[in-house]
Amino acid sequence: MIPAPVEYTRAGSAEEAISLLTEHGDEAKLLAGGHSLLPMMKLRLATPAQLIDVGRLDELRYINADNGEVAIGALTRHTELEHSDVLADACPLLKHVASLVGDPSVRHRGTLGGTLAHADPASDLPAAVLALGGTLVAQGPNGRREIAATDFFASYFESVLAADELLVEVRVPSGGGGWNYQKFNRRAQDWAIVGVAVADGGKGIALVNMGATPLRATAVEAALAGGASAAEAAAVAAEGTSPVEDGNADATYRKHLARVLTERALNAAG
Amino acid sequence: MTAVMGTPMLRKEDGKLLTGEGKFVDDIHVPGELWMGMVRSPHAKATITSIDASGALAMPGVQAVHTGPDLADMGLWIAPLPCAWPVTPDMLNPPHFPVASGEVHHVGEIVAVVLADSRYGAADAIDEVVVHYDSLPAAASVAEARDGDVLAHSDLDTNKAYHWPLVPDPDALDAAFAGADVVVAADFVQQRLIPTAMEPRGVLAVPSPHGGDITLYSATQVPHILKVMAAATTGIPENQIRIIAPAVGGGFGAKLNINPDEILALTLANKLGRAVRWTESRSEAAGSTHQGRGQLQHIELAADSNGKLQGVRVHVDADMGAYMMLITPGVPLLGSFLYTGVYDVPAFGFTCDGYFTNMTPTDAYRGAGRPEASYAIERAMDLLALEVGVGPDEIRRRNYINGGEAFENHEAASTLVFDSGHYGPSLDRALEMADYEGLRAEQSRRREAGDKVQLGIGMCTYVEICGLAPSRALGGLGYGAGGWEHATVRMLPTGKVEVVSGSTPHGQGHETAWSQIIADKMGVSPHDVTVLHSDTAMSPLGLDTYGSRSLAVGGVAIAMAADKVVEKARLIAAHQFEAAPEDVQFENGSFSVAGSPSSSVHIQELGFAAFAAHDLPDGIEPNLQEQVSFDPPNFAFPFGTHVAVVEVDEDTGGVKLTGYFAVDDCGNQVNPLIVEGQVHGGIVQGAAQALFEEAAYDDEGNITNPSLMDYLVPSTMEMPSMKLDSTTTPSTTNPLGVKGVGEAGTIGSAAAVINAVCDALSPHGISDLEMPASPQRVWNAINRASGNGEGGAS
Ligand SMILES: Cc1cc2nc3c(=O)[nH]c(=O)nc-3n(C[C@H](O)[C@H](O)[C@H](O)COP(=O)(O)OP(=O)(O)OC[C@H]3O[C@@H](n4cnc5c(N)ncnc54)[C@H](O)[C@@H]3O)c2cc1C
């Protein structure tokens, strides 16, 4: 409830944020929407010595469709995705998934970059970006680099971002075939017990909360590519997964849910 | 003037509360205040081997760190924290001090208290107090405590705190079971619940070192009880203690206690001559504030071949937690009388064993014993219906007291006398609202179609005991205080009315309801009425708010005091009219002489006459002020029927509550809007127990879900739009004919919801499911029923 002592600085630009990161090293944490970091600080599960607030970097808040791609600034709030006309045309999956994150107050604070960098395997938007085959753009002291979503997530709450890197942009392909997102939880505002994102008619499928990172359901994708029906393909949805066990679900049940939800998502995506 | 009582007047208090003008404990600050920080045990059972506070004491702003032995040496208290309800003369009651010494008995028990200049400083210092423990095996469930291999308290030779029987006629009970055609036996688990009031608990003690008195602000439901108990515990003279419960954001029983933090703040502030405060954090609350429920129930019904009940036998193993708090041992007793429900049961027996465990103490939580009882009998009635082969509605109709017709003063086999009831119409109306026939048709359709989403319909006709309580009855049960309530009503010189209420609202809307009573009794506008409450200096007498007692006891006291004011005013009016008092009539606030209505005087005009006292009748004291302590002759017995409709997704095990219909009868209603609000919230809390909430402990006695991220309090999103109606069967217990409605929703809803889930799953041969019916549990049950090994243990 009461965070440990911490210094706070607001960055006026991406460059300033990166130089502050370089200066403070491991002691520092970027603060975006704060809706993952601050709860952890209040419980003293995270005790950074220095916060670098990037929440007001409005130049990193945008949604632009161009050249068959949508480019989204990392500081774009979930609510902006949820209500975006650009996404309605170009990437309705992302818009829809954003609308299912937490509750309205969470969506007004939480950012796309924050939820990706936080790398919680139970989060919704990371799986959507993974299913879409998105690309993440990180900026560090030596400039920008692109990271494929498939390479981005390392483990529980761990991405491949370096300590001095800021996530600045997310790119996803626009258009594509049928899509669907299945989120199974007990209360509307909760994280998914299991979730399944289907993009582009089943060419990209990602699982929420089925392992240490959001996972591509590669076995399902391969089965579909080989002509399997939705039911047949969904039957292999739990292959290669090792889901957590918690008060809501044991691993057996999570695997079962992955199969059920994958079939539903594939059928709904058409 | 038309009646104000019975109308859905908007709540007077809401403007203030909704705009932030309401001051909660955490909003009140005084100069120089110190923050307490509680160092809490991470072990369920352990011996404290050392405490090193030097690191904390070296931190800036840290004034002191006190351990249990230090505090005992300082002589801050003269008695342990009180238990007011020793249910048997030989009940075990290990001493419970605000801070542990030697051995700790639950996770979250305080082992040291830090005093610091700021809340943040206190929180930082907690981390720097180094405590070493020798961890001991813990009794981490009531079943384990009952087995007795692990002792919750090393210095007791048993975990069993008491055995309490209520078996009025053992021979009749045995005969009923011996002669029964059908016997149904079932075991139910009442999981522990965390009462989650919107406002966490908090305290602020403000001493006046030169004046000698001390004020304790506390987020409590029971300032009056706290005052008496604080004096008895600390030795601070009662006349020097003032308790103020400022705006209090809900309680549900969790603020009906005498807590370590309250006694610590009071005594440390008194000792130091500085204000001392504390506010619990949400996760801290799992260990710092008592929990509810926690029972293993065994119930047996004896019936004839038509399902007509012959006897009910119940045994409860109740989880006391680590210590007896204010009414911990009595909670199961409050339910004991209700295990025969709304039914005509010739023979009854109830026994309860209370066990200590190494978990947070249990105590009252919305309904306190009665939701548990209602759940057991209403679940068992569904099992009996299955056994006899009739519908759940029919089994109830066959057994209602007086055949479902209206009755008064029914003596139940439990020995209690039900004031009034009329159960048939509440079932009829609830089924009609739900379109019961239509639902059954839809259920058949889905079953035949093999639909993956099945429909379930559950019902519950509950009765509850409220209006706690006749003082004699409480005395008979061993409770340490009475059950009366006090009220003062005064007319101010300018004609405004002040009501001093001994009941203590914490969200219920007393200011509105009491104003409505006064409006009708005295013929004044409810907006001319002010209600003073929750401050022992302003309202010195009272027994506070719990057990759905405020209206049926406190509201009645107010009405009676108002009547006395009117009677006194009548004497003054008669004097002014130069008429005999018996010739003076009172209507809509005005006195007039019978036969000459043209000359009249309004009661509000008499306020000044009584105040000026220039011309009062001989022998009449100045001022219009009367007081009443009302001790009810009996409890009141509200009742009703709830119908829940659920959809169960058999592929995922997910349960969705899709319809809820409730017909409640709380006697005459003072404010139907407030009644509805109470019923809505109550239903959600019962549905929460059925589907969502459980304080989950691991084998070592750690609570695994203390945060609201994991402890699943449902929101409006999980609830259907509830359809409510009511019937009105006035109570015979009090002159207003009112009962009580604060807990009714909770008492009716958990059974209705689980009955619905079991109904949906009945084609699988599933007849029972443990609460909460989580998706995993439901899925496991379906798997087990279909012989599929995939489902693990539930
Ligand atoms: C009550 C509640 C319910 C929620 N429910 C859901 C839910 O249902 N589904 C769901 O997916 N999420 C849920 N969330 C999480 C929410 O979506 C978070 O807001 C999001 O996960 C993190 O975004 P943020 O901007 O708040 O990040 P922050 O909390 O500010 O930061 C999170 C982490 O990411 C890092 N970070 C932030 N931005 C960047 C960046 N641009 N570059 C590099 N590192 C960065 C931070 O340093 C930190 O380590 C919920 C949160 C709450 C409080």
Side-chain angles (χ1 to χ4, degrees):
Chain A
M1 182 55 199
I2 304 285
V6 62
E7 294 294 325
Y8 169 94
T9 311
R10 188 188 303 154
S13 66
E15 289 68 29
E16 190 189 348
I18 292 159
S19 80
L20 285 165
L21 276 177
T22 314
E23 182 188 330
H24 293 284
D26 282 352
E27 299 276 271
K29 271 275 181 199
L30 293 169
L31 176 70
H35 268 43
S36 292
L37 182 55
L38 294 181
M40 291 179 68
M41 288 173 62
K42 286 181 171 184
L43 294 169
R44 300 196 175 203
L45 296 173
T47 52
Q50 176 72 46
L51 282 181
I52 302 163
D53 188 353
V54 292
R56 300 193 198 188
L57 298 184
D58 286 343
E59 67 267 28
L60 296 180
R61 272 170 97 167
Y62 54 83
I63 305 173
N64 298 323
D66 204 5
N67 296 329
E69 252 189 1
V70 191
I72 305 170
L75 268 299
T76 307
R77 313 265 165 187
H78 304 333
T79 189
E80 290 159 345
L81 304 178
E82 179 185 359
H83 296 106
S84 161
D85 293 337
V86 175
L87 288 183
D89 288 340
C91 191
L93 173 65
L94 212 52
K95 174 179 156 78
H96 175 67
V97 172
S99 76
L100 298 177
V101 174
D103 56 29
S105 52
V106 173
R107 298 196 288 273
H108 274 85
R109 296 297 308 167
T111 65
L112 181 60
T115 189
L116 288 163
H118 191 57
D120 179 351
S123 286
D124 300 296
L125 286 161
V129 171
L130 188 62
L132 286 161
T135 304
L136 288 72
V137 182
Q139 185 173 334
N142 305 319
R144 295 190 167 200
R145 65 172 176 135
E146 294 191 0
I147 309 164
T150 39
D151 298 330
F152 184 76
F153 303 103
S155 185
Y156 289 105
F157 304 103
E158 221 183 293
S159 75
V160 299
L161 283 177
D164 57 3
E165 278 183 314
L166 173 72
L167 194 56
V168 289
E169 188 174 89
V170 179
R171 289 193 207 129
V172 292
S174 46
W179 58 272
N180 188 256
Y181 185 61
Q182 295 287 322
K183 177 173 183 174
F184 185 78
N185 56 13
R186 292 172 68 185
R187 296 182 304 179
Q189 80 260 34
D190 283 333
W191 277 263
I193 295 173
V194 174
V196 179
V198 169
D200 200 8
K203 295 201 190 68
I205 303 170
L207 304 174
V208 178
N209 220 0
M210 288 299 292
T213 65
L215 297 174
R216 278 291 279 254
T218 45
V220 183
E221 291 170 4
L224 287 173
S229 69
E232 289 160 355
V236 298
E239 259 179 34
T241 65
S242 50
V244 286
E245 309 220 328
D246 58 24
N248 283 321
D250 62 20
T252 309
Y253 177 55
R254 275 208 164 83
K255 289 183 175 183
H256 166 77
L257 283 176
R259 291 187 286 267
V260 170
L261 300 178
T262 300
E263 185 174 348
R264 287 182 183 177
L266 288 173
N267 285 331
Chain B
M1 194 162 136
T2 49
V4 180
M5 260 215 278
T7 64
M9 190 179 139
L10 290 181
R11 301 194 342 161
K12 293 169 73 171
E13 43 275 85
D14 284 352
K16 200 161 91 176
L17 292 172
L18 292 174
T19 56
E21 281 172 21
K23 291 278 173 277
F24 297 82
V25 173
D26 205 47
D27 296 321
I28 302 166
H29 292 274
V30 298
E33 61 188 18
L34 292 173
W35 277 88
M36 293 192 290
M38 309 302 189
V39 183
R40 295 182 182 276
S41 170
H43 299 282
K45 190 179 175 198
T47 310
I48 304 167
T49 54
S50 68
I51 299 181
D52 177 1
S54 54
L57 287 166
M59 296 171 77
V62 174
Q63 304 293 338
V65 178
H66 297 301
T67 64
D70 293 350
L71 291 162
D73 289 347
M74 286 159 73
L76 293 188
W77 33 76
I78 57 171
L81 294 168
C83 171
W85 201 342
V87 295
T88 59
D90 58 352
M91 181 186 89
L92 299 182
N93 182 15
H96 181 202
F97 288 98
V99 179
S101 296
E103 191 171 276
V104 290
H105 300 106
H106 68 91
V107 170
E109 185 167 4
I110 304 170
V111 298
V113 54
V114 171
L115 285 164
D117 289 346
S118 71
R119 185 170 194 192
Y120 280 67
D124 293 342
I126 289 171
D127 285 351
E128 300 304 321
V129 178
V130 182
V131 187
H132 290 288
Y133 300 89
D134 274 344
S135 167
L136 297 165
S141 70
V142 68
E144 202 178 336
R146 183 178 55 194
D147 292 345
D149 296 338
V150 179
L151 288 176
H153 288 262
S154 299
D155 53 3
L156 300 179
D157 55 10
T158 173
N159 292 321
K160 193 196 273 198
Y162 69 82
H163 172 78
W164 190 82
L166 171 67
V167 191
D169 188 342
D171 295 338
L173 187 62
D174 289 344
F177 276 85
D181 299 324
V182 181
V183 172
V184 169
D187 293 287
F188 301 118
V189 179
Q190 295 289 335
Q191 77 272 32
R192 281 172 165 255
L193 300 176
I194 302 178
T196 314
M198 289 256 267
E199 181 210 14
R201 287 195 317 98
V203 291
L204 166 63
V206 183
S208 48
H210 303 292
D213 53 320
I214 182 160
T215 300
L216 179 69
Y217 297 85
S218 180
T220 181
Q221 299 171 223
V222 291
H224 297 95
I225 295 174
L226 178 55
K227 180 170 165 237
V228 179
M229 293 298 181
T233 306
T234 64
I236 300 172
E238 189 184 346
N239 59 333
Q240 289 175 12
I241 300 175
R242 174 179 178 190
I243 310 281
I244 298 177
V248 175
F252 310 115
K255 293 174 182 168
L256 195 192
N257 227 316
I258 311 303
N259 292 285
D261 40 87
E262 290 169 318
I263 299 302
L264 282 170
L266 194 66
T267 53
L268 288 169
N270 203 40
K271 178 98 183 163
L272 299 169
R274 270 180 88 168
V276 171
R277 71 179 307 132
W278 173 79
T279 301
E280 78 182 349
S281 77
R282 201 51 91 172
S283 319
E284 191 177 21
S288 61
T289 294
H290 71 248
Q291 298 177 2
R293 316 284 186 259
Q295 295 185 357
L296 302 178
Q297 303 169 300
H298 177 78
I299 182 166
E300 294 174 15
L301 308 184
D304 70 14
S305 57
N306 293 320
K308 180 85 189 67
L309 289 168
Q310 308 299 322
V312 173
R313 183 152 56 197
V314 177
H315 179 75
V316 168
D317 289 323
D319 181 353
M320 304 287 101
Y323 296 102
M324 298 301 189
M325 296 201 56
L326 193 65
I327 65 162
T328 302
V331 169
L333 277 59
L334 284 172
S336 65
F337 298 93
L338 288 180
Y339 280 87
T340 54
V342 287
Y343 308 114
D344 190 4
V345 180
F348 173 62
F350 171 93
T351 51
C352 176
D353 293 326
Y355 289 99
F356 291 114
T357 59
N358 294 113
M359 295 185 278
T360 300
T362 61
D363 205 309
Y365 175 52
R366 203 170 192 172
R370 291 154 290 157
E372 295 92 315
S374 153
Y375 183 84
I377 180 66
E378 286 301 292
R379 287 285 303 114
M381 288 303 278
D382 267 26
L383 299 177
L384 179 62
L386 289 174
E387 192 70 29
V388 176
V390 300
D393 51 337
E394 179 59 23
I395 198 75
R396 287 173 169 78
R397 285 188 207 286
R398 287 185 188 177
N399 285 289
Y400 283 150
I401 291 168
N402 201 29
E405 297 297 324
F407 67 84
E408 281 184 4
N409 303 325
H410 165 83
E411 184 169 352
S414 65
T415 68
L416 279 194
V417 176
F418 288 25
D419 60 346
S420 63
H422 195 184
Y423 304 144
S426 82
L427 178 67
D428 294 343
R429 179 72 187 118
L431 294 181
E432 179 192 326
M433 282 161 57
D435 181 20
Y436 189 57
E437 298 307 317
L439 286 170
R440 286 288 176 210
E442 170 64 11
Q443 181 180 56
S444 306
R445 192 195 64 71
R446 291 196 195 187
R447 283 182 183 171
E448 276 153 32
D451 204 319
K452 279 298 180 191
V453 180
Q454 288 291 324
L455 201 65
I457 307 136
M459 61 191 71
C460 162
T461 306
Y462 72 89
V463 61
E464 66 140 324
I465 306 179
C466 71
L468 306 183
S471 297
R472 279 189 186 176
L474 290 181
L477 288 169
Y479 182 66
W484 48 263
E485 191 49 272
H486 189 81
T488 303
V489 173
R490 66 175 77 102
M491 174 80 68
L492 302 178
T494 55
K496 306 296 180 193
V497 182
E498 268 178 6
V499 174
V500 183
S501 165
S503 58
T504 301
H506 40 283
Q508 292 86 348
H510 288 180
E511 293 180 18
T512 307
W514 297 175
S515 299
Q516 288 179 269
I517 292 174
I518 293 293
D520 268 22
K521 284 286 177 188
M522 299 180 65
V524 304
S525 160
H527 301 287
D528 281 348
V529 184
T530 299
V531 180
L532 307 175
H533 56 76
S534 308
D535 176 347
T536 59
M538 201 154 62
S539 156
L541 290 173
L543 283 172
D544 305 315
T545 290
Y546 49 87
S548 303
R549 68 189 304 273
S550 291
L551 176 59
V553 191
V556 172
I558 286 163
M560 292 167 78
D563 284 342
K564 283 172 80 173
V565 170
V566 170
E567 285 322 304
K568 180 168 179 185
R570 189 192 306 274
L571 299 179
I572 300 172
H575 180 69
Q576 290 187 356
F577 295 142
E578 297 181 349
E582 48 281 16
D583 293 337
V584 173
Q585 57 198 21
F586 182 64
E587 209 176 333
N588 295 334
S590 288
F591 293 102
S592 59
V593 181
S596 62
S598 55
S599 66
S600 71
V601 61
H602 197 272
I603 189 167
Q604 289 179 284
E605 298 170 64
L606 294 173
F608 197 82
F611 163 73
H614 295 164
D615 183 20
L616 295 179
D618 287 346
I620 296 294
E621 288 177 12
N623 292 312
L624 283 175
Q625 166 168 302
E626 297 292 342
Q627 43 183 324
V628 167
S629 285
F630 174 62
D631 197 346
N634 190 7
F635 302 92
F637 296 77
F639 61 90
T641 299
H642 288 199
V643 173
V645 184
V646 299
E647 284 187 346
V648 178
D649 180 336
E650 299 202 328
D651 279 339
T652 61
V655 176
K656 193 167 159 42
L657 195 51
T658 57
Y660 205 94
F661 307 87
V663 179
D664 290 276
D665 191 322
C666 56
N668 292 329
Q669 297 187 7
V670 172
N671 185 324
L673 192 65
I674 291 179
V675 169
E676 252 185 51
Q678 288 292 328
V679 173
H680 278 146
I683 289 170
V684 178
Q685 269 172 313
Q689 178 175 13
L691 298 177
F692 298 102
E693 296 186 16
E694 169 168 36
Y697 282 82
D698 68 14
D699 294 345
E700 267 105 54
N702 299 300
I703 182 156
T704 59
N705 58 348
S707 94
L708 288 181
M709 195 168 117
D710 300 312
Y711 185 83
L712 304 184
V713 178
S715 71
T716 49
M717 299 291 282
E718 285 69 55
M719 293 300 295
S721 171
M722 295 167 259
K723 304 277 185 296
L724 307 187
D725 201 354
S726 58
T727 57
T728 303
T729 307
S731 174
T732 58
T733 304
N734 60 69
L736 291 183
V738 296
K739 294 191 170 180
V741 76
E743 296 158 301
T746 314
I747 293 170
S749 53
V753 172
I754 294 293
N755 281 345
V757 177
C758 292
D759 181 53
L761 295 174
S762 60
H764 296 276
I766 294 169
S767 58
D768 193 31
L769 261 185
E770 202 173 300
M771 297 188 288
S774 66
Q776 161 114 52
R777 251 189 199 145
V778 172
W779 181 71
N780 285 351
I782 294 172
N783 270 327
R784 270 197 307 270
S786 45
N788 184 339
E790 220 183 348
S794 78

